[in-house]
Amino acid sequence: QVQLVESGGGLVQPGGSLRLSCAASGFTFSGYPMSWYRQAPGKERELVASVSAFENRRNYADSVKGRFTISRDNAKKSLYLEMNSLKPEDTAVYYCNTIVASFHWGQGTQVTVSS
């Protein structure tokens, strides 16, 4: 059974930082490109960052480029998102998943950026 378990969210002030983690199981993690998504209240889920399965290529939404860094540790079957210079508009529930398979979504982890 595929499981995606996000953690690391919390309440931070604008300009602060957080590191999110995603623990994956039930599939061959190293062979899948992985992504972070987020969903803010009243809005649809959006793709914020992706990392490839092999060449470690990274892509980011324009809104987070230069502030967020996605990475993966295949040995640990984990995906990470370093978030810096956080803004209130980054407030959302963050999820990990892949664009190449129809895995069930995890519970996500809440990130709230507020003073």
Side-chain angles (χ1 to χ4, degrees):
Q1 189 82 261
V2 170
Q3 289 195 74
L4 300 167
V5 182
E6 300 90 349
S7 62
L11 174 64
V12 296
Q13 294 183 326
S17 299
L18 281 175
R19 185 177 191 247
L20 307 184
S21 297
C22 169
S25 62
F27 66 103
T28 307
F29 178 81
S30 62
Y32 287 75
M34 295 297 297
S35 300
W36 285 98
Y37 301 78
R38 68 186 181 188
Q39 187 167 27
K43 298 183 178 180
E44 66 181 28
R45 186 157 34 220
E46 65 171 328
L47 178 67
V48 300
S50 297
V51 59
S52 67
F54 302 106
E55 292 82 12
N56 202 34
R57 297 187 305 274
R58 298 164 179 169
N59 291 287
Y60 301 92
D62 289 342
S63 59
V64 307
K65 193 172 297 182
R67 300 188 297 119
F68 290 11
T69 302
I70 188 172
S71 62
R72 66 191 299 158
D73 185 333
N74 288 336
K76 296 181 179 179
K77 297 183 178 180
S78 294
L79 182 73
Y80 306 99
L81 186 67
E82 290 279 357
M83 305 186 296
N84 300 309
S85 302
L86 284 162
K87 304 175 180 179
E89 48 263 48
D90 295 319
T91 295
V93 178
Y94 284 71
Y95 303 87
C96 61
N97 216 310
T98 179
I99 63 172
V100 304
S102 298
F103 295 154
H104 290 295
W105 297 93
Q107 81 287 346
T109 186
Q110 176 73 51
V111 172
T112 302
V113 185
S114 176
S115 58

